[in-house]
Amino acid sequence: MDNVYGPQAIPDKKKKLWEDLIKLKKKHSWCLDLFGDFNVVQSVDERFNSQFCKYTTVDFNSFIAEAELQEFNLSAKKFTSDEDGLKLSKLDRYLVCSNFMSLQPLSSVIALPRKKSDHCPIVLKPSNQNFSPPPFRFFNSLLLMDDFKEIFTNAWCSFVGYGTLDMLLKAKLHFVKNVFRQWRISDSQNELKLLEQTKEKVEALECLAESRILSDSELFLRRECKFKICELEIFAKMYLQQKAKVRWLTDGDENT
């Protein structure tokens, strides 16, 4: 894979670039993927209200033909470069060899929305192969739970199944996943109840401190309760963040 940035409006430099890329293609003949801002178009319809140079286009198309490169269709947008909303061009692209095309024939190139740049980021998405949802999704925050090891060990050892090794492993992970799901449903309710009770204890002690000096045991209890509140809130935040991140990633895959 080679990231290309073509020089602007200098035919001699572009010819030198094409020659260098031809040498690169011959050196890596098995599989090559060129991508980036080539600063040149393949045809007049790849520019809108923007200057078109047929000479650089001829050189570019000759390079593509000589290197035996192909291009995936661009989805979402027609143009990738936007100068103040007036001059539009398709300057960014993926060019791949026939070996790459045969390995990933159903791949596609997606133009993402422009934000801070005047160019659209382009993404090469491999062939869409749906292997169904993963049988088990693990959150690192679960490792912070005191009874995690016991729950996991019991679930892992208590599973009974049959079939080929791969299907047996899938079924086992699915079983463990369901155990964890039920555990989290009941445990999260207990955690929420414990959090509220602990906050009430702290509030009661702070109200008491307004009328008299707290004893050593009361101060110790207040510190322990505050530590427990912090612990419960941090875990809840981590767990929700990881779930939200996974949901955002999977939704992104579905949208694209």
Side-chain angles (χ1 to χ4, degrees):
M1 300 186 71
D2 189 27
N3 188 6
V4 177
Y5 179 74
Q8 296 182 2
I10 305 177
D12 291 337
K13 284 189 176 182
K14 277 193 168 65
K15 288 182 179 179
K16 178 66 167 57
L17 173 63
W18 309 146
E19 292 171 359
D20 291 341
L21 291 177
I22 290 290
K23 294 178 182 178
L24 180 67
K25 171 67 166 54
K26 293 178 179 178
K27 183 178 179 182
H28 302 282
S29 58
W30 184 77
C31 198
L32 181 66
D33 175 11
L34 302 177
F35 63 95
D37 178 5
F38 289 82
N39 259 316
V40 65
V41 297
Q42 282 190 269
S43 59
V44 65
D45 61 349
E46 290 186 348
R47 287 192 183 274
F48 177 76
N49 196 32
S50 179
Q51 186 176 4
F52 172 73
C53 177
K54 64 179 181 180
Y55 301 107
T56 54
T57 294
V58 168
D59 290 338
F60 186 44
N61 287 328
S62 297
F63 153 71
I64 293 175
E66 184 178 352
E68 299 178 338
L69 299 174
Q70 303 177 60
E71 183 177 7
F72 292 107
N73 293 328
L74 180 68
S75 62
K77 292 182 180 292
K78 182 179 179 181
F79 305 103
T80 63
S81 174
D82 181 352
E83 296 183 27
D84 299 325
L86 300 174
K87 299 179 180 181
L88 306 177
S89 304
K90 182 185 175 183
L91 304 180
D92 308 86
R93 64 185 75 235
Y94 277 85
L95 297 174
V96 300
C97 65
S98 57
N99 288 335
F100 189 100
M101 186 68 75
S102 63
L103 290 172
Q104 293 286 340
L106 300 179
S107 296
S108 60
V109 176
I110 302 170
L112 303 179
R114 300 180 190 89
K115 291 188 177 179
K116 296 183 179 180
S117 173
D118 58 350
H119 284 251
C120 294
I122 57 173
V123 177
L124 177 63
K125 184 179 180 182
S127 301
N128 185 20
Q129 297 177 343
N130 185 6
F131 294 101
S132 76
F136 183 71
R137 183 178 292 141
F138 183 83
F139 297 116
N140 292 338
S141 56
L142 295 175
L143 294 170
L144 299 175
M145 303 301 296
D146 294 334
D147 47 355
F148 164 79
K149 186 176 180 180
E150 181 182 356
I151 296 293
F152 176 80
T153 303
N154 291 339
W156 188 263
C157 296
S158 62
F159 173 78
V160 178
Y162 59 90
T164 59
L165 292 178
D166 56 343
M167 296 305 295
L168 187 64
L169 177 60
K170 178 180 179 180
K172 192 169 188 176
L173 290 174
H174 187 71
F175 174 78
V176 174
K177 171 185 174 181
N178 287 332
V179 171
F180 269 100
R181 178 179 295 162
Q182 295 302 319
W183 169 56
R184 285 306 305 147
I185 290 175
S186 60
D187 219 47
S188 59
Q189 294 174 348
N190 294 333
E191 288 166 7
L192 182 60
K193 184 177 180 180
L194 177 60
L195 179 61
E196 293 301 320
Q197 291 176 346
T198 308
K199 286 182 177 180
E200 289 175 0
K201 288 181 181 180
V202 172
E203 185 177 354
L205 288 170
E206 289 179 349
C207 290
L208 190 61
E210 293 179 358
S211 58
R212 66 172 176 82
I213 298 176
L214 297 179
S215 65
D216 291 342
S217 59
E218 290 170 335
L219 290 173
F220 177 79
L221 177 60
R222 181 176 178 273
R223 286 194 297 267
E224 288 295 304
C225 287
K226 281 186 168 291
F227 178 80
K228 190 63 179 180
I229 291 172
C230 183
E231 184 182 60
L232 291 170
E233 289 180 341
I234 288 176
F235 173 78
K237 183 179 179 180
M238 288 178 59
Y239 188 75
L240 290 175
Q241 284 177 340
Q242 290 180 343
K243 287 187 67 175
K245 184 177 181 180
V246 170
R247 189 179 300 113
W248 176 79
L249 289 173
T250 53
D251 289 346
D253 289 342
E254 293 174 357
N255 292 335
T256 54

